[in-house]
Each structure stands twice: as structure tokens, then as C-alpha cells.
Amino acid sequence: QSTWGTHSRKCSMSANYWRSTHCTRWIFPADHQNFGDCSNLYTKDEVFVIKAYFAQFIQNLCQSVRLKQRVAATATVYFRRFYFRQGFASSSNPHVVSATCVYVASKVEECAVHTSTVVREAKKLDPLNCSFSDRDVLDREFKLLEVLNFDLVVHHPYRSLALYFEDLNLKNPDFHQTAWAIVNDSYKTDASLLFPPHRVALSALFLAAHSCGEDITLWLQSLNLDFAQVLEVVGVIVRGYEILSSHRSAGGDQGWLQILRPVATRLLFRSLEK
């Protein structure tokens, strides 16, 4: 916290974040063994692809059910936390877990939907892998809550990003849209388990400024921050883009769900064959 100097307003994403379970229980060092694959079935890049696929699956599912972006973000964090603890070699079907994460997140974010709606839309997205029932989601709900230690409040970069936009006062819609998109893309990475939300927001601004030709150097310097911490987040996000780009070239103009599904499915079958 000390790196933010007197700029309390700029880092006031939430006064409660520093005392929250998100901060005290769910932020981990990058070299934590759970970021790898304890079963030795997958490389780090393969684990990334599996998680990125389910982040996109959750995103598309929330859009199909007409849930707001915050629900998708919360559900994705739940999914990552669950498999951070369990690993993909566990017996938990990740398609059921992802649907359960959406169902629980919709309740936590106060826009609850019925399990039947979630299951119906999940089957439309992936009929082959989503042959589960409402009962499967309800049965998985308590296991999810147990693994999450009932820590359900998630802090996101969105509020910080909005405050930073206001402070920067840049009238460039492309810059704003790009920064929002980068924050959303960060959920395809482990950023939510590695960094405070405000640092993810700053990293999105840095990348968006670079992409859109905006110079925010003086503004960043005014924050009295440790810029190496921002670059650490930038590195994680950029590495994610690099991995995704290697699959984009093979997938043509298809959406991410269609591009990543066959790769993730093939990798998950590897654990079943073990």
C-alpha cells in the first residue's frame, strides 16, 4: 500500500480490499506450486489453455443467460480458485464446475438465475461436454463453496479503472474500450490470483496507452508507484496474448470458444486416460 503515497483517491478501488479474504487468502506468489500441474500431465502453457477455454466458456454462458460482465468475472475467479486447490486431474468435471460457478456468482452478485437456465444455455454452447443436469450443478454447489472456504466476495479491477479514467480525463473512446477489453482478457490469465485488482487496472491502462498512442507517463509518475510491479502484471497479460495468438493463427476467424475447445478437450481427455 505504501507505494501509492498520498494518492488515496487513485488507489481507492475499495477501502476494504486490504482487509478482505480476497487479499489475505487468495493472492499467491507466482512461484507457488499450484500454478503448475501437480499431476505432471500438462505443461504450464497447456494449463493456461484449459483455463482460458473455461474463462471464455463462462463468458459466453453469462452472455447467453444475459448476466452482466461482473458475474462472468466473479464466476471465472471462482473457477480459478477451485482448480488452484483441486487441479485438473481431480474427478471434478470442469464443465459442471464452470456452470456451478456461474450459478453461484449470479446469486452473490444479486442477479440470480435458475439452475435450469444455466444448464440449458451451457448445453447449447457445448452439447457434447455438457450432458449434465440441474441436480449435478446443485450437488456441485456445496463442494465449490467448501473449496472456496465460503470466500465469495471478489474485488475486480473495474472500479479502479473507472476512477483512473476520470482522473486521466482522456477523451479517447478507443483508449477506454481497449483498457476495458484488456481487463476482461486478464481473466484468461492467473492475474486474479497473483495481483491486487488496482494493479491489473493500471496494467490495462499502460497496455491500452501503448496500443492507442496515448502518453500517460507523467500521470503514472504522479502516482508514486513501483513501476516494476505494474510491468510484472503486464508480462503475465502479454504472455497470455502470446499463447492465445498461437492458437488464433490456427483457428482463423472463429471465436475463442470454438478455437480453444478442441485443444482443451484433448488435454482434459489426457487426465481421463491416466
Side-chain angles (χ1 to χ4, degrees), residues 13-238:
M13 48 159 188
S14 172
N16 293 324
Y17 167 75
W18 302 107
R19 298 190 299 273
S20 70
T21 57
H22 185 149
C23 177
T24 60
R25 296 181 184 174
W26 292 103
I27 298 294
F28 304 96
D31 59 355
H32 195 291
Q33 64 177 8
N34 286 29
F35 283 115
D37 171 46
C38 297
S39 69
N40 296 317
L41 286 173
Y42 308 114
T43 66
K44 284 188 176 181
D45 284 3
E46 288 173 337
V47 172
F48 174 89
V49 169
I50 294 172
K51 291 178 179 178
Y53 165 72
F54 282 102
Q56 191 63 54
F57 180 82
I58 288 170
Q59 176 71 37
N60 287 32
L61 180 54
C62 286
Q63 289 174 349
S64 298
V65 183
R66 293 186 172 84
L67 292 170
K68 56 188 178 181
Q69 176 60 33
R70 187 179 180 87
V71 177
T74 297
T76 304
V77 173
Y78 289 168
F79 183 88
R80 285 185 175 273
R81 289 179 179 181
F82 182 90
Y83 281 102
F84 181 83
R85 296 295 192 201
Q86 295 285 296
F88 284 101
S90 71
S91 59
S92 299
N93 181 335
H95 288 87
V96 177
V97 173
S98 60
T100 307
C101 288
V102 170
Y103 173 61
V104 173
S106 74
K107 294 194 287 185
V108 171
E109 299 294 348
E110 300 181 345
C111 46
V113 292
H114 198 278
T115 50
S116 61
T117 304
V118 175
V119 171
R120 182 186 70 241
E121 295 303 321
K123 288 180 177 178
K124 290 180 182 178
L125 289 174
D126 194 342
L128 181 63
N129 293 307
C130 294
S131 57
F132 50 85
S133 66
D134 298 15
R135 175 49 56 188
D136 293 323
V137 170
L138 292 172
D139 288 345
R140 184 56 50 186
E141 180 179 11
F142 184 76
K143 177 63 175 178
L144 173 66
L145 296 175
E146 185 178 44
V147 171
L148 297 181
N149 199 31
F150 294 86
D151 297 332
L152 301 179
V153 176
V154 178
H155 294 259
H156 296 290
Y158 301 118
R159 185 181 178 206
S160 292
L161 193 60
L163 288 173
Y164 294 145
F165 281 151
E166 184 181 340
D167 202 54
L168 275 164
N169 196 30
L170 289 176
K171 308 301 183 183
N172 183 342
D174 288 340
F175 171 70
H176 286 215
Q177 291 170 11
T178 301
W180 283 117
I182 292 169
V183 166
N184 290 338
D185 287 343
S186 75
Y187 288 96
K188 291 186 175 70
T189 75
D190 282 318
S192 63
L193 295 177
L194 290 167
F195 310 112
H198 66 277
R199 205 184 299 170
V200 176
L202 284 168
S203 302
L205 288 173
F206 175 82
L207 287 167
H210 180 75
S211 175
C212 298
E214 293 285 356
D215 187 357
I216 61 171
T217 305
L218 292 177
W219 180 80
L220 288 170
Q221 290 174 347
S222 75
L223 297 178
N224 190 29
L225 54 84
D226 181 352
F227 199 65
Q229 294 181 341
V230 176
L231 291 180
E232 187 181 5
V233 191
V234 168
V236 169
I237 295 173
V238 169

